[in-house]
Amino acid sequence: MTAETTTRPISLFDMKAQQALIRPEIDRRIAAILDSGAFINGPDVRECEAKLAEFAGVAHAVGVSSGTDALQIAMMAEGIGAGDAVFLPAFTYTATAEVPLVLGATPVFVDVEENGFNIDLADLENRIALVKAEGRLRPRAVVGVDLFGRPADWPKLQEICAREGMFALDDAAQAFGGALHGKKLGGWADATALSFYPTKTLGCYGDGGAILTNDAARAELYRSLRTHGEGKTRYEVERTGMNGRLDSIQAAILLCKLPLLEQELKDRARVAAHYNRRLAGHVVVPTEMEGAQSAWGLYSVLLPDAETRSKVQAAMQAQGVPSAIYYPKPLHHQPAYAAAHREGLRQGPPLPVSEQVSQRILALPMHPYLDEAQLDRVCDALISGL
Ligand SMILES: *Cc1c(COP(=O)(O)O)cnc(C)c1O
């Protein structure tokens, strides 16, 4: 092993190594857009949508301005608003909870499984029954999050939503490329929201997102809503919409990156397998559900407690190894959501797993361009802090 390989700096995410592979193609595509002036709704957007749909094996992909707007447009299309309960995990990124509130609906926080960090089905069933019993809100939608890239149990979530007449929305912002029973995420729920934030499994160089669906009527609504609710012509406003488009330059960047994605997913799985092999027995390593393939958007382990976590993070930092905490606080403890949490279920049970996991979780560097020597350095540093 040369000195150079042992000292290669380690970052949590790496967009430079990837960019070096495709820079000429990016420059060529951006130059073409600058020449054409088709900055909004140009041909790159349509091409990108077609390629995304093909990759995920769904009928329709609608490009939008971010993952957050993907969630919002999908909920607006269902008419979700005041009086509606939207069930979502308490342990996720803030955007999942923010959107129902922006639309006047009420988020009902559901606990997660310690083994996998996704929505706990038994707790979901319990809270649906409690919302019905309290009788103030209408159970309207479930947002399942494929946290860290690990698919939620979509066959069971779909079954619950179908039985209850609820909308099933997949927040796959961290999970594009993940699969269940050989079928990619994208067609498992009524609609699937993607984010192309730069550090996601497929990221652009700014903000971007998409909504995937097999339902043609929904796709048409999404296209209208992202363009101010326009009707058959640009001058007819059929519904209240928003400015939620994916721009042409971001679509062009996604088109350059998409051909790398399959190999990158394999490399993410290689990184995860290396971590699992080295760290099992030292910390709790992530598991995969039977028949599921994680996209490994992030790789997080569980430490015994918050104190050990601080110690481990300090030891890693001292050895030049970054780490991060997703997420240090469950959403029902966030000041912005605490009132909504109390309102959603007045007699709701506690959310012990979300609270515990926030204290113990730690994310390690995860990107496709980490080599074996770097992975061993991450593992050695982590173990040295225990
Ligand atoms: C990143 C993310 C979002 C939001 O995506 P943006 O493109 O940043 O708006 C939503 N949900 C989850 C789980 C995310 O990780």
Side-chain angles (χ1 to χ4, degrees):
M1 195 181 292
T2 67
E4 197 184 328
T5 59
T6 53
T7 55
R8 254 184 82 199
I10 298 172
S11 53
L12 271 181
F13 308 105
D14 181 343
M15 282 151 287
K16 281 194 191 141
Q18 180 200 50
Q19 192 187 105
L21 300 174
I22 48 174
R23 184 61 188 257
E25 176 67 2
I26 288 174
D27 288 342
R28 190 191 64 74
R29 277 205 177 253
I30 291 178
I33 293 170
L34 296 184
D35 288 341
S36 76
F39 300 119
I40 302 290
N41 281 341
D44 293 80
V45 175
R46 284 184 296 282
E47 188 184 345
C48 179
E49 290 176 333
K51 293 266 164 66
L52 288 169
E54 188 192 331
F55 185 92
V58 295
H60 309 278
V62 179
V64 296
S65 39
S66 70
T68 307
D69 290 340
L71 293 168
Q72 178 163 335
I73 290 169
M75 287 195 218
M76 284 169 85
E78 305 302 312
I80 289 170
D84 290 334
V86 176
F87 298 83
L88 56 98
F91 185 65
T92 175
Y93 183 57
T94 179
T96 321
E98 162 188 50
V99 169
L101 280 166
V102 164
L103 296 177
T106 306
V108 174
F109 294 107
V110 181
D111 213 357
V112 296
E113 316 159 292
E114 181 171 337
N115 184 3
F117 318 124
N118 282 329
I119 197 162
D120 183 296
L121 296 170
D123 193 56
L124 171 64
E125 294 271 24
N126 186 30
R127 284 175 207 267
I128 293 169
L130 288 170
V131 164
K132 287 195 206 160
E134 287 190 5
R136 290 171 299 112
L137 298 171
R138 183 162 61 128
R140 196 61 207 291
V142 174
V143 190
V145 180
D146 310 303
L147 203 71
F148 307 150
R150 184 184 191 273
D153 191 344
W154 282 105
K156 294 222 176 90
L157 281 171
Q158 265 291 18
E159 209 178 286
I160 294 169
C161 287
R163 189 193 70 214
E164 298 291 336
M166 291 197 294
F167 174 55
L169 177 56
D170 183 357
D171 180 346
Q174 300 178 4
F176 189 51
L180 264 176
H181 309 298
K183 201 175 102 184
K184 287 236 156 63
L185 292 170
W188 284 98
D190 295 323
T192 296
L194 303 180
S195 164
F196 303 130
Y197 184 83
T199 59
K200 310 280 178 165
T201 54
L202 177 66
C204 54
Y205 294 153
D207 278 310
I211 316 170
L212 307 177
T213 184
N214 280 317
D215 183 333
R218 281 194 168 105
E220 198 182 312
L221 263 176
Y222 300 157
R223 289 180 199 284
S224 166
L225 286 165
R226 75 173 173 186
T227 315
H228 305 290
E230 76 175 13
K232 294 263 173 314
T233 71
R234 184 192 280 207
Y235 304 103
E236 198 174 274
V237 183
E238 269 187 21
R239 55 188 65 82
T240 305
M242 60 192 279
N243 179 356
R245 294 177 295 246
L246 175 70
D247 72 69
S248 301
I249 289 179
Q250 298 307 335
I253 286 155
L254 294 169
L255 282 167
C256 297
K257 287 190 173 197
L258 202 48
L260 302 178
L261 186 57
E262 279 297 357
Q263 183 56 46
E264 290 185 342
L265 291 165
K266 287 191 186 111
D267 280 309
R268 286 175 179 274
R270 167 184 61 81
V271 169
H274 191 116
Y275 283 152
N276 280 351
R277 205 163 52 237
R278 284 280 327 269
L279 298 175
H282 296 280
V283 296
V284 181
V285 298
T287 57
E288 283 196 85
M289 191 172 83
E290 181 77 26
Q293 252 177 295
S294 179
W296 296 110
L298 292 165
Y299 180 94
S300 291
V301 297
L302 280 180
L303 295 163
D305 50 47
E307 231 168 85
T308 313
R309 181 172 66 184
S310 303
K311 227 174 62 184
V312 164
Q313 275 202 290
M316 291 173 73
Q317 197 185 8
Q319 294 169 63
V321 179
S323 62
I325 300 172
Y326 307 108
Y327 299 92
K329 214 183 234 202
L331 292 182
H332 62 292
H333 285 177
Q334 290 289 359
Y337 306 138
H341 171 55
R342 286 191 298 272
E343 187 53 28
L345 258 186
R346 291 189 183 150
Q347 306 292 332
L351 296 145
V353 181
S354 300
E355 287 169 15
Q356 239 219 66
V357 159
S358 317
Q359 299 294 306
R360 298 174 53 199
I361 199 102
L362 187 67
L364 309 185
M366 171 48 88
H367 61 77
Y369 301 95
L370 286 160
D371 64 36
E372 310 296 293
Q374 289 177 308
L375 296 173
D376 280 329
R377 275 165 58 208
V378 173
C379 296
D380 292 340
L382 189 161
I383 292 166
S384 79
L386 284 170

